[in-house]
Structures are given as structure tokens and as C-alpha cells.
Amino acid sequence: MKKNILFVLFFLLNLNLYLNLTSCDTTEPTDELKPGRRDYTWTIDTLAGLNNPRFRMWGSSPTDIWATTSSSWENSISHFNGSRWISYGISGLAGPNAIYGFSNTDVYIGEAGSGRIWKYDGYSWNQFAQLTKDGHNNIWIANILGQSPSNFYAFGAYPDSTGYINGSVIAHYLNGNWEMLNTNGLYGIVTDLYKNSPDNKTYLLVIGGTNFTDSTKVYELIQGGYQFLYGNVWTKGVQADISLINNEVIFVLGNQIARRINNQFQTILNVTNSNFYQRIWGRNTKDIFLLMTDGLTHFNGTDLEYLFYFTLANEKPWTQIYGAAIFEEEVFFLAYEPLTGLSLIFNGKLK
């Protein structure tokens, strides 16, 4: 009997230990992350067309990358098949803007100014949806993001009574049905909307204003309403941004890069380089890429180091990186040089 009791106690002790380990906070254990590598070999591709900035990029793999522009019909869609980039236009698809997908046969494009969404099935592009809100169908779809082909968001804005594109729009596609979310309290273009996996909270970025006083504002979506968290003018050095890194929303609050835990911002890095341009991408919080006015830097959990410099470093208007596709051993960055009108792809491969 004593042996049986000891066995039961031993079993319960180990079961309790197992439950404690598996039910702990799932926020990524920063101390256990390995610093991101920096030994990339870089190549640069030039996309077809001049003065056609590509503002969005998405890819399912290093051999399936997409980029879009609404500036030129004949080069509006660009695709990389692993060996070369091909640019083309689709009849009826006038202003590709947002692009996002879930596989190489399930890719979506949102148009600028028509509210239309198109789907690529691996063979051709076909209209998938027509969004309208309050009688408006001239919606600028800024971005499409989500968890699966049956659960994703399309968002942006339409021109308000002043003519500025500030009528906020958030549409949710769920199991074959579209729901237009209430956006009372928002003013401007909804450019990003992410779910934060550690606590299931949803955060969004809104850019809006009139004349030349645009602002960037970060909100939390709470029970159909919006709680303002941070905002500043849309100017280098102070503007806000959000990025989804390893399924966690990472915030750029001016020169502070932070995560949000228990309704409090916790600093990951204070960027002291004055060239920081408030845009980031990454694999985890020890493997973050930062846009600078003169190039691209990398944070490995300890320090910043330049990965490459732009050809027109610090020349105004500054070279921009508008999007990225990050994979385990390969990265793609979507850049635009305003002074030359060139759209560039910086492709880095780990050695």
C-alpha cells in the first residue's frame, strides 16, 4: 500500500509540474531567443517601370513573392518566381494596392478607390468582392490581413465630405460573409490591423488629417470601440507604426520600440540613431530590421548594425522601404528611390 501511495504522490507532483509549465504566460521568453544572424549576401533587382512605387509586398516562400503599385497599369502587379521578377497588368484591375495571401494559390489584392478585392487561385485573377460602406464604393483598400482564407480583414478609407480620404473602413470576412465594422471615433486610413497572440488583443494604426497635418494613431479594438493608445504627427522621429513579429504586435512610438503587456508598453529598444525612420520588420525581438534614411539596420537583442546602405543615402526625398517578406534564411525588402523613380528589391540570403 505504501508503494502505491508513493507512486500516486509522485505522479501528482509531476502532473502538477507539467501543468504549471504548459499553462505559463506564452509571451516570448526574450532571454532564450538566439540573436538574429547578420551574415547576409545581398543582391538588388529593379522592377519594371519608372515612378511606380510599390507600397505592398507579400510572399508565401522565397520563390513566390508579390508586390503591387497603383501608379501604372502595365506594371501594377509584380511577381518573383525564384529566378526573376515579372510585371504585368490585369484587365479590369485598375489600382492594385493591398496584397496578402495564405498560400501560392490563395492570394488577394485590394484596389485603391474602387472597394474591389481580387483573388488569385494559382492560375488567374478574378474579382472576389465589392466592399461598400454607407453608400460609398470608392473605398481605398490600404491593406488585407488575417488568419485564414475564411477569416481575414480588409481595411482603409473613403473620401469624406471634405474630399480627403479619412472615412475609416474595416471589413471582416468570416466564413463566407462580410461584416462592416463600426468605425465611429476613427478618422483616417486604417493601414494596419493585427491580433496580438500572447493576449488575443487587436491593435490598429490609423493615418489621417487634412491639408498637411496628417497624424499617426495607435488604437486597441475593444468590444466594438477603439481605445486610443499613442499618436503623433506623421513625421520622421515622432510618428507611430505597428508591426507583427512572431505573432506579437510590436509598437514603434517615435524612437521607442516596445511590446504591450498588461496594458503597459514595455521597451524593447530606444533607438538613438537619428536616421531611424519608424518602420520595422522581423522574425522575433532579437531579430529586427529597422529602416533608416541611409539604409537598413539590424537589432540582435544587444546592438544595432547596418546591413547595407542605400545608394542615395540621406538624399532627400529619402529612399523608402515600404514592405518586406521575411523567411527563415532569406529576406526581401521593397524599396523606392524618389530621386531616380526606381523600384528596387533588396534580397538577402544568409550564408
Side-chain angles (χ1 to χ4, degrees), residues 14 20 28 33 57 65 67 69 108 113 115 136 146 152 179 181 185 191 225 248 250 275 284 293 297 299 340 343 350:
N14 280 275
N20 285 334
E28 62 176 20
L33 293 171
M57 170 182 272
I65 309 292
T69 176
Y108 300 83
H136 296 275
F152 63 86
E179 177 191 4
L181 272 64
T191 62
E248 181 181 8
I250 304 299
N275 290 333
N284 59 62
T293 57
T297 60
F299 176 65
T340 64
S343 293
L350 288 170

Side-chain angles (χ1 to χ4, degrees), residues 191-240:
T191 62
D192 294 286
L193 186 151
Y194 299 116
K195 177 170 285 188
N196 188 49
S197 287
D199 58 14
N200 265 344
K201 293 185 176 181
T202 299
Y203 299 98
L204 58 151
L205 179 73
V206 180
I207 297 175
T210 57
N211 299 323
F212 298 100
T213 57
D214 283 3
S215 62
T216 53
K217 296 181 179 180
V218 178
Y219 296 86
E220 180 184 346
L221 175 61
I222 301 177
Q223 297 178 347
Y226 304 92
Q227 179 182 349
F228 172 73
L229 299 179
Y230 176 89
N232 215 322
V233 293
W234 191 8
T235 301
K236 185 187 82 70
V238 296
Q239 67 192 45

Side-chain angles (χ1 to χ4, degrees), residues 69-223:
T69 176
S70 55
S71 300
S72 168
W73 177 83
E74 65 270 22
N75 299 313
S76 58
I77 300 173
S78 298
H79 182 251
F80 181 66
N81 61 9
S83 59
R84 67 190 184 107
W85 284 90
I86 299 173
S87 297
Y88 59 92
I90 294 294
S91 178
L93 210 173
N97 192 29
I99 187 159
Y100 190 78
F102 303 95
S103 72
N104 61 350
T105 59
D106 209 339
V107 186
Y108 300 83
I109 278 179
E111 283 193 58
S114 73
R116 292 185 298 183
I117 296 175
W118 295 67
K119 180 180 178 180
Y120 180 71
D121 59 9
Y123 299 98
S124 62
W125 290 96
N126 297 285
Q127 186 170 326
F128 177 76
Q130 167 75 67
L131 300 184
T132 61
K133 182 181 180 183
D134 300 332
H136 296 275
N137 61 8
N138 54 342
I139 295 171
W140 289 68
I141 301 177
N143 226 332
I144 299 173
L145 295 167
Q147 298 176 325
S148 74
S150 60
N151 184 10
F152 63 86
Y153 292 86
F155 40 88
Y158 60 84
D160 61 14
S161 59
T162 68
Y164 292 97
I165 306 172
N166 286 316
S168 303
V169 172
I170 302 174
H172 185 201
Y173 180 74
L174 182 63
N175 298 327
N177 297 307
W178 285 97
E179 177 191 4
M180 194 63 66
L181 272 64
N182 170 37
T183 52
N184 292 340
L186 300 183
Y187 181 76
I189 305 171
V190 183
T191 62
D192 294 286
L193 186 151
Y194 299 116
K195 177 170 285 188
N196 188 49
S197 287
D199 58 14
N200 265 344
K201 293 185 176 181
T202 299
Y203 299 98
L204 58 151
L205 179 73
V206 180
I207 297 175
T210 57
N211 299 323
F212 298 100
T213 57
D214 283 3
S215 62
T216 53
K217 296 181 179 180
V218 178
Y219 296 86
E220 180 184 346
L221 175 61
I222 301 177
Q223 297 178 347

Side-chain angles (χ1 to χ4, degrees), residues 28 33-34 36-37 40 194 241-252 257 268 279-291 296-300 307 321 323-328 330-333:
E28 62 176 20
L33 293 171
K34 293 182 179 180
R37 291 169 57 184
Y40 290 93
Y194 299 116
D241 202 357
I242 58 176
S243 182
L244 190 66
I245 297 178
N246 196 23
N247 292 317
E248 181 181 8
V249 179
I250 304 299
F251 301 82
V252 179
I257 298 175
I268 296 171
R279 205 168 293 151
I280 65 172
W281 309 267
R283 298 185 183 92
N284 59 62
T285 53
K286 286 189 176 181
D287 195 2
I288 299 177
F289 303 89
L290 295 82
L291 171 64
L296 186 74
T297 60
H298 179 261
F299 176 65
N300 66 357
L307 297 180
I321 294 178
I326 310 293
F327 303 100
E328 186 175 353
E330 197 165 352
V331 293
F332 296 80
F333 292 95

